[in-house]
Each structure stands twice: as C-alpha cells, then as structure tokens.
Amino acid sequence: MKALMSAAVLALGLLALAGCGRRGPEPLNAFDGRVEDWTREILVDSPELATRAGASPELVGRYADRLDDRSPLAVETRRSAALRRLAEVREFADEELPPDAAITYAVLRAQFEAAAAGAVHEYGDFSQLGGIHPYALNPLDSAFVTLPDFLDRLHEVNTFADAEDYLARLRAVAVAIDQDIQHARQDAAAGVSPPGFIIDDTLRELDDIIGVRPEAQTYVTGFKRKLDSLVSRAGNANAQAQAAQRAQGLLAQAVAIVRDRVIPAHQRAAIYLRGIRAGAGEDAGVWRLPDGEAYYRDALRIETTTDLTPAQIHRIGLDRVRQLTNQLDVALRRLGMTEGPVGARLAQMTADPQYRYPDSEEGRAQLLNDIRARLARVTQQAPNWFGRLPRQRLDVRRVPPFAEASSSGAYYEPGSIDGRTPGVYFVNLRDLGEMTKIDLPTQDYHEGVPGHHFQIALAREHTELPLIRRLVAFNAFEEGWALYAETLADEEGLYENDPVGRVGYLRWQLWRAARPVVDTGIHAMHWSRQQAIDYLVQTTGDAPGVIQTEVDRYVVWPGQACSYEIGRRDIAQLRDFARNELGPDFDLKAFHDAVLSNGAVPLDVLDRIVRDWIPQQRRAAARDRH
C-alpha cells in the first residue's frame, strides 16, 4: 500500500458524522470528549483528510476549497501538536476505562507516541497520524505526486459550487508544490537532501508531467469528466445547454490554471532539484543525515509498532529468506526447473514469454480484466473465511502514466470513509514484462481480496468505533494482514491447480522477507543502492526495473519495508496460539473477525485483543454445543 495514509467529531453534544459510533445522546465522559477534541483538531488541520473522512463542514468548518498547508511553519506546528497530544493522552494512564475505551486509549497512545517520536526530528515530511519521510521533494509522496489522484478520485463534483471548489483547490496545487520546495530548501540548509539517484527519479517524474499539454493533464481530464456528468444530470435540453455553457467556462479556467500556475510550479521544483544535483552524494541510507541512527530507530518503531532493533529485524528477514528459498527450490523442481540457484531459476521464469501478457493496449486490457475476474471469484469464496464482509466497492485501475516510472508494481488506495467512493487497486502497467502471470494472482490477493481492501474497508465500516480509530493506520498491522492474506489464499487451495501461481506466491513471500534485510542494510548497515539491488536480483530473480523502483522506495520511506514480514509473523503466531488454546473450538472465521473487528491496531494491542477473544470463543462454542 502506498502509501500512503490515512475521526469521530462531536461538538456541542451533536452527532458530527454519520455513523461515528455514538448511539444516543448520553453525555461524554472525559476520555471520550478528549478523543473527539483530538479528532476535530486533526481534521480541521487537514482538509485532505477531512475529504477522505467525509467530515461534516458544519462542525469542522468549510474545507472543500482547500488543500493541506505544507509550509515549514505548518509542519512545525504539527510537530508541536503531536508532542502536546502525547502528554494529553498520558493523563488518562491511570483511568479505569470501559473495555472499548481501553482499546481506544491503547491505540491512540501508540499512535501519539509514534507521532511524537517522529516530531523530534526537525526535517522531512511529518504526518499527524504517524509516519516520517526524510525528503520533502521525492518521487513517492510529494504534493505533485499525490494531488492529481486526490482531486481526480476524491473531490466530488455534484453541483457547480463543488466545481468552483475544485478550481480553488486546483489553484492551491501550485502553492502546495512551492511549499514542498520551500521545505526542501530549509532541510538542505540543515544538511538534509536526497541522494542523487532519488533526485534523478524525481526529475524524471516532474519532466514527464511538464511535458503533457495542459488539456491532457489529469487535473483537467478528470475535471472534464466530472463536469460532463454534472451537465448530463441538468434536466431538460434547455437546462443542459445552459449547464454545458457554464461547464465550458469552468473547464477553460482549469486549463488556464494548469498552464499558468501548476505547470510553472513543477518547473520551479525541477529547477531547484537541478540546482542541487551536482552536489548530491550517492549514499542511500538515512544514517548519513543529522541524528540519522536515531531517526531510523524511530522510523522502525513507527512502522513495525515494536522495539525490535535493526539487527534483530535484519536477522528475522534472513531467516525467513532461507526458509522460503528452500520451499521455492521444491516448487521449481516440480515444474522441471532444477538447475542453478533459486534466484536464477526465478529470473528464467520471469523472462519466459509464456508468462507475459502482450505489451500492447490489448494486453493491458486483458490483464486488468483477468484481475477483475479473479477478484470476483475469490470474493465469492470469502464467506468461507470471514463472518463479516465489507460493503464498499473495489475498483481496479491503471496507475496514471505520469506516475508509472516511480510507483511500485501495485498499491491500494482506500475509498472515502462514508463509502461514496470505492477503494481502488492500482496496477502499474509501465512494462508488462514486470507484471507476469506468475505473480499476478498473489498481488491480487494482497492488494484486493482478502488483503488490503477487506481489512481497510471493514475497519471503516465498524461504525461503533470512534472515527479516528477508523482513520489511523499502522503499517505493521495493515501490511502484515495483506501478507497474511496471501498465505490464507495458499492454505485455502487457491493455487491447488496452479503450480506456476504458487511459485509466484512463494516469491512474493520471499520479496517481503528480503525487504527487512535490504531496508536495514541500507539505513543501518551502510549498504549502497547497488548492493541492495544486487541482493534482491540474486534472491528474488525479479525484473531489474521492479527491483530498482523498490529499492528507491525504501530509500525514500525508511522502515516501511520492514512492516510486512513483522506484521505477518505476529498474526500467524497469534493464530497458532489461538488454535492451540482452543483446539476443536477454534473457528477460522471467528478468528479473522476478531483480528479485523477493531480496525488497524499496534501489534501489542492485537495480541491483547486475540487473548481476550480466546475465552469468549470458548464460551460461545460451549453454548453452541448445548
């Protein structure tokens, strides 16, 4: 999941958002009231998060015409707020809270501790809900990367007032990019700039966008689609004609804004990066940055929700790589591939034309259709594994061409929390040699069903939880669940008649085991970019383009790559523990519902949830027998 991220609001005793979980007008206790204060504060600060949450403008203020403030001053204010919120949540440490509130306390304390840990580092990007990235201008999550999709997918245009708000936000895109430049300049003065190859990646992406004529930019084509839909709903022919004329004027404004403001802002970002490129080094890890070792330790704590050291995580990854390499050797021998190291045999499979889609628009369309058909089939089987299924729709879309070069092979973007917009599984179709039939089924299970879409959509549909609980993200839980979902697909026989697909499954597992090896290698053990690429080529046999993009993502987002295997390992161990404790009373559907019933949580809180569920399940099974 790309990232990249993602709150019950009540004021004056009124229900702030539909389904925020409060049933009836009972008065707030002190803790519940503080939770809603924090939620409101976070949403007011982030119009983009408020949009994702479908927050009520009556209670959080008008936000549909604004983007987040990315200025250095705003980021510093958020850091101060994060430190304050941690002090505030600690005030409730000795309170006797009801069970549900106790979980909320544990979740928010962990979230605020993570945010506060990130806040002490005064450079890079900082998120109010946890997460730190060292470089304000990068090819992964800077404003110029995230805002086209945000406006296209999440800003609804149901009225002409909505369209005017869209234009206001479009004008603010240039401001957001300039704020990233300002932030990057400030960080550079403190000795923090990306390595040269990350600057090159970012420049390529900026240049690709600059080279697209204004009328063909996503900002304009998406707006036109929304306006066309608005006009089509205008009523009779006369009303439609009037609406079409108004829409034409608004579209012309959008083209002018992109031409005169947005593209020049991209050009300014490119000029800045070209200006610092000559002085950029090639060291990949954050160890070279101010207080870099502490920065990485805090990044690992945020991403894994554990206190594991880089050395411990490195060893966990190596042990898992060894185990999976042995399993892959057996699986490849069953396909008649017996010669050479496992990585070399995997590379041979990757290069085999029989496992590729035609590198054409027809091949891309067939690939997307195959994904949709596979997800439909597994969705039909999901009731065998889950008691509760999500209602939110899942769409499958191509990664926007301008973002293909620096994007991972696939990622999931949650829909709006009110369910009006679907979750989206984005597939990178830049090179169909990188998106083979070997790996595609497992990717579908990870990003879609029963992986990210199931977990995140279900979390957002648990309306009994405070909305902030449905918005917070813990990568160790979310990526750990998606990786666990891959193993579930294997255990439930989805590869029974697909030995090639099972090789892909094992390779994906191997990839996630190799990630903590490489991430800790880069950021704690001073590995070079090439050393990381060589290790992954030898280990996974994947396409070089895929591997280079992945390594550069680890450089930009320290620690995140470790979250997958650490989270999967914990969920699998908890399932084994529950099965051993319950014996014949263990129920897989009930276990999954217990794991997913509280939204994203830190791993220690998940441990508590499962241990509390075990006696409940034992009592329920006893009642069923009688």
Side-chain angles (χ1 to χ4, degrees):
M1 188 176 74
K2 184 173 176 181
L4 23 16
M5 209 279 347
S6 3
V9 180
L10 198 68
L12 303 178
L14 299 176
L15 188 64
L17 297 170
C20 76
R22 185 166 298 284
R23 296 183 294 272
E26 69 271 17
L28 297 176
N29 60 43
F31 179 69
D32 289 344
R34 189 63 65 87
V35 168
E36 293 177 353
D37 290 342
W38 292 324
T39 302
R40 179 186 179 89
E41 177 184 47
I42 291 169
L43 284 176
V44 167
D45 178 69
S46 176
E48 293 167 32
L49 181 60
T51 297
R52 295 177 188 278
S56 166
E58 288 77 14
L59 292 170
V60 301
R62 178 167 166 74
Y63 61 84
D65 58 345
R66 294 185 294 116
L67 299 175
D68 290 0
D69 186 346
R70 291 168 167 81
S71 68
L73 177 60
V75 173
E76 183 58 34
T77 301
R78 289 183 194 116
R79 289 191 173 109
S80 297
L83 296 171
R84 170 182 51 78
R85 277 194 290 272
L86 177 57
E88 290 173 348
V89 77
R90 284 174 171 167
E91 294 174 4
F92 295 94
D94 298 324
E95 294 283 335
E96 291 188 10
L97 299 171
D100 289 347
I103 293 177
T104 295
Y105 169 79
V107 169
L108 292 184
R109 176 157 181 165
Q111 183 74 68
F112 294 167
E113 284 176 344
V120 302
H121 301 286
E122 297 182 352
Y123 56 83
D125 189 25
F126 170 76
S127 167
Q128 295 226 64
L129 294 182
I132 50 175
H133 307 160
Y135 310 118
L137 273 176
N138 68 73
L140 185 65
D141 63 358
S142 292
F144 81 91
V145 179
T146 62
L147 290 179
D149 175 67
F150 171 78
L151 284 173
D152 183 49
R153 196 166 59 86
L154 292 176
H155 186 107
E156 296 183 1
V157 177
N158 297 314
T159 67
F160 280 110
D162 294 338
E164 295 286 359
D165 287 341
Y166 184 98
L167 291 178
R169 277 180 155 168
L170 185 56
R171 293 184 190 95
V173 168
V175 176
I177 295 171
D178 284 338
Q179 288 173 338
D180 277 351
I181 300 170
Q182 181 188 9
H183 196 169
R185 287 185 188 277
Q186 178 176 291
D187 286 350
V192 177
S193 290
F197 57 88
I198 294 298
I199 294 175
D200 293 340
D201 291 347
T202 312
L203 280 169
R204 277 192 293 272
E205 196 161 320
L206 283 165
D207 288 343
D208 285 346
I209 297 171
I210 292 167
V212 176
R213 69 185 192 279
E215 296 83 357
Q217 295 271 354
T218 301
Y219 293 117
V220 175
T221 58
F223 191 42
K224 183 179 186 303
R225 186 184 68 250
K226 297 169 195 280
L227 289 172
D228 288 346
S229 176
L230 181 59
V231 169
S232 71
R233 303 192 302 269
N236 59 36
N238 183 53
Q240 286 196 1
Q242 292 177 344
Q245 184 176 8
R246 185 174 180 185
Q248 186 177 7
L250 293 169
L251 189 63
Q253 290 185 56
V255 172
I257 292 167
V258 171
R259 181 189 64 234
D260 300 336
R261 297 170 64 104
V262 175
I263 292 178
H266 286 75
Q267 292 169 332
R268 290 190 290 274
I271 289 169
Y272 167 74
L273 289 173
R274 286 192 169 92
I276 66 170
R277 177 62 181 91
E282 297 300 313
D283 288 330
V286 295
W287 55 265
R288 66 187 177 85
L289 302 179
D291 207 16
E293 291 185 8
Y295 187 100
Y296 186 53
R297 285 197 303 271
D298 289 333
L300 283 178
R301 192 182 322 144
I302 291 168
E303 301 297 341
T304 70
T305 69
T306 73
D307 291 323
L308 291 169
T309 67
Q312 289 172 320
I313 291 173
H314 193 81
R315 174 53 57 190
I316 288 170
L318 287 172
D319 290 345
R320 179 72 170 157
V321 165
R322 189 177 303 109
Q323 177 189 38
L324 289 164
T325 299
N326 291 336
Q327 293 183 41
L328 271 162
D329 178 51
V330 174
L332 289 165
R333 288 178 181 278
R334 288 174 178 165
L335 291 173
M337 303 183 71
T338 61
E339 299 298 324
V342 163
R345 281 179 274 167
L346 289 171
Q348 181 183 340
M349 281 190 74
T350 300
D352 192 329
Q354 71 173 309
Y355 301 125
R356 295 187 176 187
Y357 288 88
D359 197 3
S360 63
E361 289 310 304
E362 291 77 13
R364 287 171 170 80
Q366 184 60 53
L367 184 152
L368 293 174
N369 287 336
D370 287 351
I371 290 175
R372 294 182 182 110
R374 188 179 297 110
L375 289 174
R377 289 195 298 272
V378 73
T379 299
Q380 290 179 338
Q381 298 180 55
N384 296 323
W385 315 323
F386 299 88
R388 181 170 181 173
L389 305 176
R391 298 185 298 273
Q392 190 172 51
R393 193 173 81 253
L394 173 65
D395 281 357
V396 178
R397 299 182 193 171
R398 179 178 180 173
V399 170
F402 80 84
E404 286 178 344
S406 60
S407 291
S408 59
Y411 57 89
Y412 175 77
E413 286 283 355
S416 61
I417 201 164
D418 56 16
R420 290 201 302 264
T421 59
V424 181
Y425 164 18
F426 282 100
V427 185
N428 196 328
L429 302 183
R430 63 188 167 207
D431 178 358
L432 293 198
E434 300 174 353
M435 192 65 60
T436 70
K437 298 176 183 178
I438 305 166
D439 303 304
L440 202 55
T442 293
Q443 178 177 285
D444 298 345
Y445 306 143
H446 180 101
E447 304 293 347
V449 179
H452 281 316
H453 179 64
F454 259 41
Q455 182 265 310
I456 295 174
L458 280 170
R460 294 184 167 199
E461 291 170 13
H462 279 293
T463 56
E464 70 278 7
L465 299 178
L467 185 53
I468 195 169
R469 290 274 307 281
R470 292 181 275 146
L471 287 173
V472 296
F474 294 95
N475 272 324
F477 181 90
E478 295 188 354
E479 296 297 353
W481 171 263
L483 192 55
Y484 167 81
E486 297 175 24
T487 66
L488 179 66
D490 180 52
E491 292 166 351
E492 294 300 323
L494 298 188
Y495 300 107
E496 199 167 279
N497 300 310
D498 183 11
V500 170
R502 190 163 192 278
V503 168
Y505 153 70
L506 289 171
R507 176 158 75 175
W508 269 64
Q509 293 280 310
L510 181 64
W511 249 109
R512 276 37 162 277
R515 280 176 173 172
V517 177
V518 171
D519 195 272
T520 54
I522 290 170
H523 294 294
M525 301 171 187
H526 299 203
W527 283 20
S528 68
R529 181 199 196 205
Q530 192 58 52
Q531 188 175 355
I533 290 172
D534 290 345
Y535 175 81
L536 289 173
V537 167
Q538 295 163 9
T539 302
T540 71
D542 216 331
V546 171
I547 288 172
Q548 180 176 308
T549 300
E550 285 291 302
V551 168
D552 289 355
R553 181 161 70 99
Y554 310 156
V555 171
V556 168
W557 194 352
Q560 193 268 351
C562 301
S563 61
Y564 300 73
E565 176 56 27
I566 299 302
R568 180 212 64 82
R569 181 171 173 262
D570 195 74
I571 294 170
Q573 288 175 345
L574 284 172
R575 191 181 71 174
D576 289 344
F577 175 76
R579 180 179 278 122
N580 290 335
E581 287 290 308
L582 289 168
D585 291 338
F586 179 81
D587 181 272
L588 184 64
K589 292 198 293 187
F591 173 77
H592 289 154
D593 289 350
V595 169
L596 299 180
S597 64
N598 281 278
V601 296
L603 295 182
D604 62 337
V605 175
L606 179 62
D607 183 270
R608 182 196 309 176
I609 289 169
V610 171
R611 289 175 184 274
D612 288 346
W613 167 77
I614 288 171
Q616 296 170 10
Q617 175 65 16
R618 186 176 289 119
R619 289 192 295 271
R623 285 195 300 270
D624 290 343
R625 285 193 293 270
H626 292 89

